[in-house]
Amino acid sequence: MEESKEKIGAEDFAFWFGDFNSRLDRLPGDDIRHLLMLHTKGEYDVSKQVLSQGETLGEEALGMQQPPASGTETSDKATVDAELRIRSEDKGEETSNCDDDSLLPSDSDEFSLDPHQDPGSLQSTLDSLLPHDQLLRLMKERKAFHEGWREGPIRFLPTYKYDIGTVTSFDSSEKRRPPGWCDRILYRSRMDLERYERKVREEEALRKREEEMKARGILEDIDDQVLFAYDPENDGDDQPETAKIDYDEFNETGEGHDYETMEVEDKDKIWLELYTSHQLITSSDHKPVSSIFTIEYNAVVPSLKAKVHAEVARELDRAENEGRPIITVVVDQHDVHQNDKGRRSAESEQVDFGEMVFLRKKAASLIIANTGRVPATFSFVRPAVEGLEDNTTLHSWLSTSFVRYEPPDQDFASVKLGTEVTLEPGETINALLEALVNDVNLARSLNQGQALDEVLILSVKNGRDHFIPVRASWAPSCIGWSIPELIRVPDGGIRGFAKSRLLDQTEARNLDSDLPVHRPAPKELLHLIEALEILTQRATAEAQMIEDLTIPHDPGWPFDEATCTSIDRVTRLSLVASVLDALDQDQPLLQSFPPEVSVLARLEVVSHTLILFLSSLTDGIVPTHIWNIFVENQTLLEKITTAYNSITTGSLASANAACAAAQDAILDILIQASPHHNISFVFLTATLSRVVAELSPMTKTQWDLLMQQQPAQQHKLSGRTIGSSIGGVFGRRAVSASYSFTTDGSSNAAPHKNAPDAATVSRRATNLDEATSALAQRRAREKRVADLFAPLICHGLEGTIQSKESKAAEKMRAILGLFLRERLD
């Protein structure tokens, strides 16, 4: 039967056996116990020989032979043989060499009655007790086990309750439980169930007919009506000719006659051969029962069936395979990455990329050959995931393409084909698998323990698909963590520390807050801003010494990728991966560059690494909850707006004062909310300010010239000079100066005896134009850097920073612009 159709009642044969706890109703237990004990002691029938005191009939009195002492298995066999012998005697079986005279007893004293008819036999006593059996009564009343269930004839003593260790001694304890047939075996065939269901349907139909007849009043006078007139003397003498059957004794099949064959085809195919108890088992207060059945069923020899099935399947496969495409896929072991121990994949169709590093691409090749007799068309497909409209992000780390390698004399070594390829019989092609983890979200998941496991499906049209397992291990990276987590990483780098935690805890965990803090700001951030400042100074120094080396004038360089032209993008990404690898292993960043890489290219790589690192922080330099404090503080927002507007519209003096006030307010909020984020913010903005100053330099003379154009006043801020305020914020030495001017712009110093000549005035005008141009370039660079870093520093602006009309975005750019501006009084 099929699994989907299996249910109780659909089986061919059913057997129900166990302790039914069936007792004898309405009979005194002591009388039953006394009556059966007389039988077991041989004292019930006084016509038989009286046993001596202490002697019992044992198994012989029960119709079973006493088993030999060889063991239980032999005793059971003797019991079965005895029961079979009793059954054959009950059926009146006779041997083939017996004649009719042998059936008659030679002496009337030797003639034995049927045990069921003998009042003194044990079977007669059992027959008198069985009508009181609860199970038989429930079956008769159709309350339990009436749906076709049967039970063999009971010819054994009740199976319950005996004194443990005795053969025939019933319960002698205080409770003196009455004997009963608790242990039973019921059976049913499918035909038994069908007979019962047919009988139920017939009874239901008869009941409905009677109700209908009663409703119509037909059965009211049924007792007064004579349905049949029977004449014993004449009925049956004349039979109609049509009723006679011309039986042909040689035509046993009945062919040629109009009547239907009388042979019943649906005979039961189950026979009960033995149903008995085992009195000699004394280890329990129950006596076990057993049955032997003989059944007929349609059987299949498993070995022959498997052999025939295999032959048929082989022939079908051969016929089918000759007309369907067949391809063979082999992993090109020359291209597959070997791990540190040099072991390769044990499976021929499994690709192992080894350890994957962020932004480090790896490749593997598959050799695909058409080994069939017809053209084969195939393509790579990815298993779809329910609930995802676009499954490309799920497989973003792995890409596939088909490549055909051309002969060496061609201009190109390989040609990339489409996503679907057709091969003629005997042709081969290469499938290129490229693994690259460049998504920040994926890196975060991998850091938390997600596995790099993939199953590629090479789908063959009208053919068998090939499933290619692809796996890789992940090298933990500083990408995708938060500042509170990174400050808890000890010396040695995040990679070794995260791997040790994975081995200790057998699963990925976040860097828990109960770990000790090793530094006030992430070490990776400190290394990046240090390298950024060093490379900026080197670039400006080399640009002054080397004529061919020119620093790009675009205000977004080196942070804006569109302005970086020193090296191509592929090379730059490869170098960024090397810098990240050095950060992850706590190695010097500048030593990760090859010697041939120029200082401008190194500066671009470090700048992009810094941007990537900041964008991967899960909390950002200014977390969302701190940014919400800024937004809710209207007084602070007014200070920021005033300071930011004074940069372009006000005087230098007023701008310095406003910037200092706004900076102090911002730093106070940061240090109270999160000291570690405050330190990271100060280090980052101070470094960016110095980088902007290095790339857009202004001399002290230019500053002095610009200051001379402002209204004469002495600038002080809260008892300290602007320069000292700058030094307090950025940690660098500031130059302080005081100037006093008249309202017309002339100096209040002692006037020269001679007025400046025309050349001097012209030179001063030129210097003023140069200073104004340098200041404009400085402000443009500050604004561009603020635009680039605002969404990276403050994660609370996600989704709004792209809109230039967004007030929140403008506020963040203003805050960053205040800290990027270098001031000098």
Side-chain angles (χ1 to χ4, degrees):
M1 294 183 296
E2 298 180 1
E3 295 183 0
S4 59
K5 298 181 180 181
E6 284 187 355
K7 61 180 180 179
I8 296 178
E11 69 280 351
D12 294 328
F13 303 99
F15 302 91
W16 198 308
F17 48 90
D19 182 4
F20 288 75
N21 198 23
S22 176
R23 308 298 177 86
L24 296 175
D25 289 335
R26 299 184 297 275
L27 289 178
D30 292 337
D31 293 348
I32 301 173
R33 188 182 300 103
H34 177 69
L35 184 62
L36 295 176
M37 289 299 294
L38 291 177
H39 279 287
T40 58
K41 294 180 179 180
E43 299 175 358
Y44 185 83
D45 191 354
V46 296
S47 64
K48 293 184 179 181
Q49 181 182 359
V50 180
L51 301 177
S52 60
Q53 184 177 3
E55 185 179 4
T56 61
L57 293 177
E59 294 295 329
E60 185 177 358
L62 305 179
M64 294 180 285
Q65 297 179 350
Q66 185 70 21
S70 58
T72 305
E73 182 179 357
T74 308
S75 66
D76 292 343
K77 185 177 184 303
T79 302
V80 173
D81 293 340
E83 182 65 22
L84 291 175
R85 185 177 67 254
I86 293 173
R87 287 178 54 85
S88 64
E89 292 174 357
D90 291 341
K91 294 179 180 179
E93 296 178 353
E94 56 186 28
T95 58
S96 59
N97 57 356
C98 292
D99 52 15
D100 296 339
D101 295 337
S102 64
L103 300 177
L104 300 176
S106 59
D107 191 349
S108 60
D109 295 338
E110 297 179 1
F111 180 75
S112 59
L113 295 176
D114 182 0
H116 297 276
Q117 305 297 328
D118 185 2
S121 67
L122 173 62
Q123 185 60 51
S124 179
T125 302
L126 299 182
D127 292 343
S128 66
L129 297 176
L130 286 173
H132 300 275
D133 180 67
Q134 292 178 346
L135 178 60
L136 294 179
R137 178 173 57 82
L138 292 175
M139 295 174 67
K140 183 178 180 181
E141 295 175 356
R142 293 188 179 181
K143 294 182 178 180
F145 297 101
H146 58 280
E147 298 174 342
W149 291 98
R150 290 188 283 169
E151 186 181 22
I154 296 179
R155 298 173 181 173
F156 48 85
L157 289 173
T159 62
Y160 177 85
K161 174 183 191 297
Y162 292 86
D163 292 336
I164 298 177
T166 64
V167 176
T168 57
S169 177
F170 291 97
D171 185 18
S172 61
S173 64
E174 294 181 0
K175 295 183 179 181
R176 299 181 65 82
R177 296 180 179 85
W181 284 276
C182 292
D183 306 278
R184 312 286 275 273
I185 297 178
L186 305 181
Y187 64 97
R188 181 180 70 180
S189 66
R190 181 182 298 179
M191 192 172 299
D192 292 329
L193 180 59
E194 293 175 352
R195 289 196 194 101
Y196 168 77
E197 293 174 347
R198 183 166 56 251
K199 183 178 180 181
V200 171
R201 291 193 298 269
E202 292 174 355
E203 292 177 352
E204 180 65 20
L206 180 59
R207 185 187 61 80
K208 290 182 178 179
R209 285 197 299 270
E210 290 179 354
E211 292 179 355
E212 182 180 356
M213 293 175 67
K214 288 181 180 180
R216 297 169 59 183
I218 298 177
L219 297 181
E220 293 179 355
D221 301 330
I222 193 65
D223 295 336
D224 299 334
Q225 298 179 7
V226 178
L227 299 180
F228 300 99
Y230 176 62
D231 185 0
E233 296 181 357
N234 299 323
D235 288 348
D237 292 340
D238 299 330
Q239 296 291 336
E241 295 295 332
T242 56
K244 297 180 180 180
I245 299 176
D246 186 12
Y247 177 74
D248 185 358
E249 61 179 355
F250 298 103
N251 189 6
E252 297 180 354
T253 60
E255 295 180 359
H257 299 284
D258 295 336
Y259 59 88
E260 297 180 358
T261 178
M262 303 299 294
E263 182 180 359
V264 180
E265 296 295 340
D266 55 348
K267 291 182 179 179
D268 249 342
K269 297 183 180 181
I270 180 171
W271 297 271
L272 175 64
E273 303 294 348
L274 177 65
Y275 186 30
T276 185
S277 66
H278 299 269
Q279 296 292 131
L280 295 180
I281 297 179
T282 62
S283 60
S284 173
D285 56 355
H286 288 254
K287 299 298 181 183
V289 296
S290 63
S291 291
I292 296 178
F293 293 91
T294 300
I295 61 176
E296 289 184 5
Y297 60 94
N298 295 327
V300 177
V301 180
S303 59
L304 295 179
K305 178 182 177 181
K307 182 179 179 181
V308 174
H309 185 273
E311 291 177 356
V312 174
R314 191 180 304 111
E315 292 297 329
L316 292 176
D317 289 343
R318 182 184 305 169
E320 184 179 3
N321 291 338
E322 289 180 354
R324 64 185 302 182
I326 301 176
I327 64 172
T328 301
V329 180
V330 179
V331 177
D332 189 355
Q333 296 294 345
H334 295 285
D335 293 338
V336 176
H337 172 79
Q338 298 184 13
N339 56 26
D340 296 337
K341 297 182 179 180
R343 293 179 299 180
R344 300 181 188 272
S345 173
E347 300 182 15
S348 60
E349 289 191 6
Q350 176 174 333
V351 179
D352 189 350
F353 284 102
E355 189 175 62
M356 292 295 300
V357 179
F358 191 76
L359 291 182
R360 186 71 52 82
K361 180 182 289 188
K362 292 185 178 181
S365 178
L366 302 177
I367 301 176
I368 305 175
N370 185 353
T371 55
R373 299 184 179 181
V374 296
T377 301
F378 49 87
S379 61
F380 281 109
V381 296
R382 263 46 180 304
V385 178
E386 296 183 0
L388 292 180
E389 298 180 357
D390 185 8
N391 290 289
T392 55
T393 56
L394 183 67
H395 315 277
S396 59
W397 72 282
L398 185 63
S399 61
T400 60
S401 61
F402 294 104
V403 178
R404 187 188 302 276
Y405 292 99
E406 299 292 341
D409 56 350
Q410 299 292 333
D411 295 337
F412 40 83
S414 62
V415 177
K416 285 192 176 183
L417 308 177
T419 58
E420 186 176 87
V421 176
T422 300
L423 288 184
E424 296 295 329
E427 289 185 343
T428 61
I429 201 174
N430 289 77
L432 182 62
L433 309 182
E434 294 180 325
L436 174 63
V437 178
N438 58 356
D439 183 73
V440 174
N441 294 326
L442 178 59
R444 291 173 182 171
S445 300
L446 295 176
N447 286 333
Q448 303 304 319
Q450 178 178 322
L452 281 174
D453 290 328
E454 188 82 55
V455 176
L456 286 178
I457 302 176
L458 186 59
S459 179
V460 183
K461 285 188 177 180
N462 302 322
R464 181 178 67 89
D465 293 344
H466 290 255
F467 298 87
I468 305 170
V470 181
R471 66 175 304 274
S473 59
W474 171 246
S477 174
C478 61
I479 299 297
W481 299 94
S482 64
I483 288 180
E485 290 174 329
L486 292 175
I487 61 177
R488 289 172 169 83
V489 177
D491 293 337
I494 185 77
R495 182 168 301 169
F497 181 62
K499 285 184 177 180
S500 64
R501 287 179 58 82
L502 286 172
L503 293 176
D504 294 341
Q505 302 181 11
T506 68
E507 59 177 325
R509 303 280 186 184
N510 292 331
L511 299 182
D512 301 329
S513 58
D514 56 348
L515 295 175
V517 176
H518 293 275
R519 52 190 56 84
K523 193 173 185 178
E524 294 80 5
L525 177 62
L526 300 180
H527 286 337
L528 285 173
I529 60 179
E530 180 185 7
L532 179 65
E533 188 170 4
I534 293 175
L535 291 175
T536 302
Q537 294 174 356
R538 289 184 183 178
T540 55
E542 292 185 8
Q544 294 175 359
M545 294 184 295
I546 303 175
E547 295 181 359
D548 296 337
L549 182 62
T550 303
I551 295 179
H553 296 287
D554 192 287
W557 188 88
F559 304 107
D560 189 356
E561 186 177 4
T563 63
C564 299
T565 58
S566 299
I567 51 177
D568 59 276
R569 186 175 182 275
V570 175
T571 305
R572 183 165 53 252
L573 289 178
S574 177
L575 294 176
V576 170
S578 299
V579 173
L580 288 175
D581 198 31
L583 287 175
D584 296 337
Q585 302 180 68
D586 197 11
Q587 297 176 352
L589 298 188
L590 299 182
Q591 296 181 7
S592 63
F593 291 98
E596 64 274 10
V597 179
S598 65
V599 65
L600 297 182
R602 297 186 183 192
L603 181 56
E604 294 174 355
V605 169
V606 172
S607 300
H608 288 300
T609 307
L610 175 62
I611 291 176
L612 178 61
F613 174 78
L614 294 177
S615 64
S616 71
L617 291 175
T618 58
D619 53 351
I621 299 296
V622 178
T624 303
H625 70 279
I626 298 180
W627 173 249
N628 292 333
I629 298 176
F630 291 159
V631 174
E632 295 172 359
N633 192 332
Q634 295 297 327
T635 303
L636 176 62
L637 293 179
E638 292 177 0
K639 289 183 178 181
I640 294 173
T641 303
T642 302
Y644 187 70
N645 293 334
S646 66
I647 294 177
T648 55
T649 61
S651 64
L652 293 178
S654 61
N656 287 340
C659 287
Q663 287 175 357
D664 289 342
I666 292 171
L667 294 179
D668 288 341
I669 294 177
L670 277 174
I671 197 169
Q672 292 177 6
S674 177
H676 301 294
H677 288 88
N678 173 68
I679 296 175
S680 300
F681 179 82
V682 170
F683 283 162
L684 177 62
T685 54
T687 302
L688 293 178
S689 177
R690 291 193 291 270
V691 170
V692 169
E694 290 286 348
L695 297 179
S696 299
M698 290 186 64
T699 64
K700 185 178 181 302
T701 303
Q702 291 175 331
W703 277 110
D704 294 342
L705 187 60
L706 291 174
M707 293 293 291
Q708 292 174 8
Q709 305 303 315
Q710 305 299 323
Q713 55 182 332
Q714 188 72 21
H715 305 295
K716 296 290 182 179
L717 178 62
S718 302
R720 59 182 176 178
T721 62
I722 299 298
S724 63
S725 176
I726 297 175
V729 174
F730 296 107
R732 70 182 292 186
R733 191 162 152 193
V735 180
S736 301
S738 298
Y739 297 91
S740 178
F741 302 94
T742 60
T743 56
D744 59 357
S746 62
S747 173
N748 62 354
H752 295 284
K753 294 181 179 180
N754 298 322
D757 54 13
T760 302
V761 173
S762 176
R763 185 170 57 253
R764 288 182 178 178
T766 302
N767 293 337
L768 180 60
D769 292 340
E770 292 177 354
T772 303
S773 175
L775 181 61
Q777 293 178 4
R778 171 74 65 85
R779 295 294 182 256
R781 189 176 295 273
E782 290 172 355
K783 183 178 183 305
R784 182 59 180 148
V785 172
D787 292 341
L788 291 173
F789 278 86
L792 304 176
I793 292 178
C794 182
H795 284 193
L797 301 179
E798 293 178 355
T800 63
I801 195 66
Q802 299 299 330
S803 176
K804 293 185 178 181
E805 302 296 329
S806 172
K807 294 183 179 180
E810 292 294 339
K811 298 299 182 184
M812 188 61 227
R813 283 194 287 266
I815 291 175
L816 190 56
L818 297 180
F819 285 89
L820 294 180
R821 183 169 182 264
E822 185 180 31
R823 304 175 305 273
L824 188 65
D825 62 347

